[in-house]
Amino acid sequence: MKVILHGGFFSESSTNIETKVAKQNALERIVKLSYTFLETHSAVETVVYAVTLLEDDELFNAGIGSQIQSDGKIRMSAAIMDGSTQKMSGVINIEEVKNPVQVAQILMQYDDRILGGSGATHFARKNGFEPFSTEIPKRRAEYEAKLKTLGTGTVGCVILDSNGKIAVATSTGGKGFEIPGRISDSATVAGNFANEFCGVSLTGVGEDIVSNATATKIVTRVTDGFTLQEAFMKTFDELKPFDGFAGAIAIDSKGNVFHQDSHPSMVFASFDGEKLEVFD
């Protein structure tokens, strides 16, 4: 069993030691809790559990603490993909929901598995998700002062369970100050993709990730016989012509774990029950 998760890119990690340590500690706590949960649950159930914990921590740009868009509202996106069934479900630009990844989980049961905007929010309400403001004072202060940052915050998790099944989930609060209606990569196969051979979750600039079809390329290349490292190297080389900003985490069916970022500062953690790695 393997767990790897990321907390997105975070520019403050290089300048604010307290924030850096806080994120490291949060990732260590969440990756260990997720591994314990995995011992009695499936890969799909565990990626939802892990990403819910990340959404509930205001250090990360997903769920609580999501970025505010140019019109003053928060809209979030999240997706899940089950590598064994090839089913993907997700929500795009959902509003006032504490845990978008849990809405995505419910959508797994439906034929219409990816919903956007008001339709996604209405679906959440019908399924018992009460209105919840994910805004925190820090985000409002940033918005009002127009302090636009890198905008590369996303969270994600990849799981390999005891039955050899892979699942992935990704959630984001957006890049901040974007045009309302902008679509991130998180609920697309460019940013969140898995099959029986490999699972990948992305963070970074959504437009770059979509242009490169990053997650899909990595998984397809592993399926076609590339090693995980080879698939990453070739795919990230293809980001270079347009200086694409992306970071990815992955696990393959053999239990290999890998990560790479084009502009080093992605924060992530992995755990297999014995070996813990926490980096930023």
Side-chain angles (χ1 to χ4, degrees):
M1 298 189 302
K2 300 285 178 71
V3 178
I4 186 169
L5 49 84
H6 68 73
F9 285 91
F10 200 55
S11 58
E12 293 177 23
S13 293
S14 61
T15 58
N16 185 324
I17 188 65
E18 291 182 2
T19 299
K20 176 180 177 179
V21 171
K23 291 198 76 170
Q24 289 174 329
N25 291 340
L27 289 172
E28 179 176 344
R29 173 180 61 85
I30 292 170
V31 78
K32 287 181 175 179
L33 286 171
S34 300
Y35 187 87
T36 299
F37 187 88
L38 177 61
E39 291 177 334
T40 54
H41 295 82
S42 70
V44 171
E45 291 169 330
T46 307
V47 291
V48 174
Y49 174 81
V51 172
T52 293
L53 293 178
L54 290 162
E55 289 176 338
D56 287 346
D57 192 320
E58 66 180 46
L59 284 169
F60 305 105
N61 177 24
I64 294 174
S66 291
Q67 295 277 1
I68 300 173
Q69 297 190 353
S70 60
D71 62 350
K73 295 184 178 181
I74 292 174
R75 299 177 180 89
M76 300 161 288
S77 298
I80 307 166
M81 190 159 184
D82 183 338
S84 61
T85 65
Q86 290 284 272
K87 283 187 176 182
M88 181 177 181
S89 61
V91 291
I92 298 171
N93 287 333
I94 195 169
E95 297 183 43
E96 294 192 324
V97 169
K98 185 181 180 185
N99 297 112
V101 73
Q102 294 180 10
V103 184
Q105 182 182 29
I106 292 174
L107 279 165
M108 273 278 188
Q109 307 165 29
Y110 289 77
D111 292 332
D112 301 329
R113 291 196 300 273
I114 297 181
L115 300 179
S118 60
T121 303
H122 179 66
F123 177 84
R125 298 288 178 264
K126 284 183 62 178
N127 283 274
F129 290 83
E130 298 295 329
F132 184 94
S133 174
T134 55
E135 182 182 307
I136 58 174
K138 178 184 176 184
R139 295 300 188 212
R140 176 54 59 179
E142 289 173 349
Y143 174 78
E144 292 179 351
K146 299 186 182 299
L147 296 178
K148 187 169 185 178
T149 61
L150 278 174
T152 49
T154 301
V155 301
C157 181
V158 187
I159 296 286
L160 174 67
D161 69 18
S162 59
N163 294 313
K165 293 186 177 181
I166 297 170
V168 57
T170 310
S171 181
T172 185
K175 65 180 183 179
F177 306 100
E178 62 264 56
I179 298 170
R182 179 251 184 187
I183 305 298
S184 78
D185 66 288
S186 297
T188 76
V189 295
N192 186 88
F193 195 71
N195 66 10
E196 62 183 298
F197 298 99
C198 181
V200 180
S201 174
L202 266 291
T203 182
V205 175
E207 287 75 7
D208 293 349
I209 293 167
V210 169
S211 294
N212 189 48
T214 308
T216 307
K217 281 183 176 179
I218 293 171
V219 173
T220 300
R221 284 167 172 158
V222 171
T223 303
D224 289 344
F226 282 56
T227 66
L228 197 53
Q229 184 172 357
E230 290 169 344
F232 265 78
M233 289 179 63
K234 183 169 180 59
T235 304
F236 271 76
D237 279 346
E238 292 164 350
L239 285 164
K240 293 177 180 178
F242 55 96
D243 193 30
F245 201 126
I249 57 172
I251 301 176
D252 68 18
S253 58
K254 299 176 183 177
N256 297 307
V257 178
F258 200 76
H259 66 91
Q260 187 170 337
D261 44 22
S262 60
H263 296 67
S265 65
M266 179 177 68
V267 292
F268 72 94
S270 65
F271 190 54
D272 63 4
E274 295 181 0
K275 184 179 180 182
L276 170 71
E277 292 184 294
V278 182
F279 294 100
D280 67 0

